[in-house]
Amino acid sequence: GATIVVSGDGRYFSKDAVQIITKMAAANGVRRVWVGQDSLLSTPAVSAIIRERIAADGSKATGAFILTASH
């Protein structure tokens, strides 16, 4: 029943990877997946969402998949 954030920096194959991750998350019981518009979010934005965003039902994200070539 967790909530996760999935997004990336727009590199090649990001949109396809987000779709695969979302399907795998749903198949493994993840309740909600938050995805950036057009699958785009910076690493600091994902961090802020995990720490600050609260859903209408009071839940928060418990983790994320960030698709980036950083580090």
Side-chain angles (χ1 to χ4, degrees):
T3 298
I4 63 170
V5 181
V6 180
S7 211
D9 60 7
R11 294 178 190 275
Y12 180 75
F13 196 63
S14 285
K15 287 185 180 182
D16 295 325
V18 167
Q19 290 295 315
I20 293 167
I21 292 167
T22 300
K23 290 174 185 176
M24 290 177 70
N28 284 283
V30 173
R31 181 175 174 207
R32 185 177 289 134
V33 178
W34 292 337
V35 181
Q37 184 174 344
D38 294 326
S39 302
L40 298 173
L41 283 173
S42 66
T43 300
V46 172
S47 176
I49 289 168
I50 292 169
R51 290 181 286 111
E52 304 291 333
R53 183 173 177 186
I54 300 172
D57 66 357
S59 65
K60 293 182 76 172
T62 55
F65 286 93
I66 306 172
L67 307 168
T68 181
S70 299
H71 309 291

